[in-house]
Amino acid sequence: MARHIRHAAFFCALLLVALLVNAARIQIFRAKSFDDNPANRRATIARYDRPRGNILVGGESVTGSRDSGEQLRYERTYTDGPLYAPVTGFASQVYGTTLLEHTGDAVLSGTDPMLAPFPLVTDLTRAQGRGGNVVTTLNRAAQRAAYDGLGGRRGAVAAIEPATGRVLALVSSPSYDPAVLSGNAAATERSWVRLNDDPDKPMLNRAVRQTYPPGSTFKVVTAAAALDAGVVRDVDRTTDSPDPYRLPGTTTMLMNEGDGCEDAPLRDAFEWSCNTVFAKLGVDLGVKRMSAAAKAFGFNDTRLRIPFSVAPSSFDTSVDRAQLALSSIGQYNTRATPLQMAMVAAAVANGGQVRSPYLVERTTTRNGATMTTAGSRPVRQAMRPETADVMKELMEGVVTEGTGTNAAIPGAVVGGKTGTAQHGLDNAGLPYAWFVSWARGDRDVLPRVAVAVVVEDASADRADITGGGVAAPIARDVMQSVLKSSPDGGS
């Protein structure tokens, strides 16, 4: 009898061991497959079971969380959603996350290991910590000035601090309110469909995800390349530049919008944006030197992150001489984001150095303790310092005597460059209005801000566009708001 009891006990113990082994197999070795199973909602429920961390601008939160009382409890809210949408992106229970909501998701959702006071316990219990915060580099006044300046017109503004690369403003217009995508009700799906079907593409981040022909603003790059290479040694000496200029190897004649461009010195050609002078300069420099100059400014860089990805700006390196002439005045296949052109202006303002732009100053815990900081940023020499000094003079001349007088700020030194970019079939579309600039206050040692503005649906009056009538006033207001602000972005 005792033998049978021992056998039964042994069998029961064996079954118990088998159960424990199977439980361990499921909970440890197969845990990930169950976690990743679409039918498992536990992770999703846990994700929205507590408030999300916030994105801060100028020390104030521009995001929040609302208790919906539903199974997916907390929904994302936004303060001035359309104003900051090109920075925050959206955090949706249905459609995921974008922009800073995406790149900062680990911190904001509380899953970043640095937020766990006892990581080992957290790993074992799989408890989710409280979300941390993402502190941006934005200047509140500059962001508002850019948004109001565009006034709902299609276009974008990017502003950066030349000496550091801090992004001070990033605006895309028209915009949208990310809050309409936060929940999971039927209205959320309707909003998603409406926004995606909108021909104005409000969810397109034109400041960093849309490239445009930069037009005459690219002449900053061409002028810097010509000075660096010694093709131009004296900006006040006449150039060998016919008007009109026959594109090499073709019968096509390139014209100018105004008079006085024949053999114009570089200073005059820059102030009055003579196409013929810069097209010929590009040809004289050649593809190799022009390509190298564009690359030094950041063109053809596919790795730029701020921290979300930026569409690469492009300068075609496989062009013939006629195409090179057009590329050198910002046409043909030359394309740039507004952020890239802000980097071009910043390089001039910063003694020829390009600082990699960045949007996140630091991340913090819920209580404000710093977790990570931006740290030092890579530096690239776009032109020689002495060339940058000459380019500053040329850009100042555009504002004081040339086509960019609408960007002038009393009591400040401002440099700029206007641009008109043709597009559409046979260039039939309304030209894009561009303006790139930098500004230094009367008490500042170095320029404090560099700006690029593009307006898509600009006035059909070409003289007004070329004269900086559309984009230059927006740039002026952004620069003025930065100069009036404290360095930390407060007013």
Side-chain angles (χ1 to χ4, degrees), residues 399 404-414 438-441 449 475-481 483-484:
V399 176
T405 55
N406 283 335
I409 300 173
V413 178
V414 179
W438 51 264
R440 174 175 59 82
V449 58
R476 178 197 61 215
D477 291 346
V478 173
M479 292 186 293
Q480 197 165 29
S481 67
L483 296 181
K484 289 181 177 180

Side-chain angles (χ1 to χ4, degrees), residues 154-465:
R154 290 195 303 272
V157 178
I160 58 181
E161 187 175 68
T164 62
R166 298 169 71 242
V167 177
L168 303 177
L170 204 66
V171 170
S172 177
S173 178
S175 190
Y176 72 104
D177 187 356
V180 300
L181 301 176
S182 295
N184 54 35
T188 302
E189 183 179 357
R190 291 196 297 270
S191 295
W192 176 260
V193 172
R194 173 178 56 80
L195 289 170
N196 279 283
D197 289 346
D198 191 327
D200 284 335
K201 299 181 179 178
M203 289 200 295
L204 172 63
N205 192 337
R206 290 172 163 86
V208 295
R209 297 281 173 82
Q210 178 70 39
T211 60
Y212 302 88
S216 293
T217 59
F218 190 78
K219 291 171 184 174
V220 175
V221 177
T222 304
L227 290 166
D228 258 0
V231 173
V232 174
R233 298 184 182 276
D234 184 350
V235 296
D236 294 308
R237 184 176 179 178
T238 57
T239 58
D240 179 17
S241 307
D243 182 12
Y245 172 60
R246 184 174 61 83
L247 297 180
T250 75
T251 58
T252 302
M253 305 301 290
L254 182 65
M255 312 292 288
N256 294 296
E257 291 299 322
D259 298 326
C261 288
E262 184 175 359
D263 298 329
L266 184 63
R267 186 186 304 276
D268 295 342
F270 194 83
E271 289 180 4
W272 297 103
S273 207
C274 295
N275 287 333
T276 51
V277 173
F278 286 93
K280 187 174 184 298
L281 278 178
V283 173
D284 291 343
L285 283 162
V287 174
K288 186 176 180 180
R289 287 191 290 193
M290 275 301 301
S291 298
K295 181 180 179 180
F297 277 96
F299 284 79
N300 298 332
D301 183 0
T302 60
R303 300 169 297 174
L304 184 60
R305 304 286 187 275
I306 63 167
F308 47 80
S309 62
V310 177
S313 299
S314 58
F315 183 85
D316 198 333
T317 60
S318 58
V319 291
D320 60 28
R321 297 174 74 226
Q323 294 163 344
L324 176 61
L326 295 176
S327 298
S328 300
I329 59 172
Q331 296 289 165
Y332 189 59
N333 286 341
T334 305
R335 308 279 298 187
T337 62
L339 180 63
Q340 173 61 63
M341 294 314 298
M343 291 168 62
V344 169
V348 174
N350 194 40
Q353 291 186 332
V354 180
R355 293 275 182 178
S356 294
Y358 66 99
L359 186 55
V360 175
E361 196 75 77
R362 63 185 182 276
T363 60
T364 72
T365 64
R366 195 75 165 184
N367 296 326
T370 298
M371 295 168 50
T372 62
T373 60
S376 60
R377 309 298 296 175
V379 182
R380 184 171 56 246
Q381 196 72 35
M383 68 192 99
R384 292 182 292 120
E386 49 269 37
T387 295
D389 290 339
V390 176
M391 290 305 304
K392 282 183 183 177
E393 288 184 21
L394 297 183
M395 293 184 75
E396 287 176 39
V398 170
V399 176
T400 57
E401 302 177 20
T403 58
T405 55
N406 283 335
I409 300 173
V413 178
V414 179
K417 183 69 189 79
T418 54
T420 306
Q422 304 293 324
H423 70 101
L425 184 62
D426 296 326
N427 293 330
L430 290 180
Y432 297 145
W434 275 96
F435 193 75
V436 300
S437 56
W438 51 264
R440 174 175 59 82
D442 54 358
R443 296 184 180 180
D444 298 324
V445 177
L446 299 171
R448 286 180 57 190
V449 58
V451 182
V453 178
V454 63
V455 181
E456 291 184 28
D457 46 352
S459 166
D461 185 350
R462 286 185 52 81
D464 186 47
I465 296 170

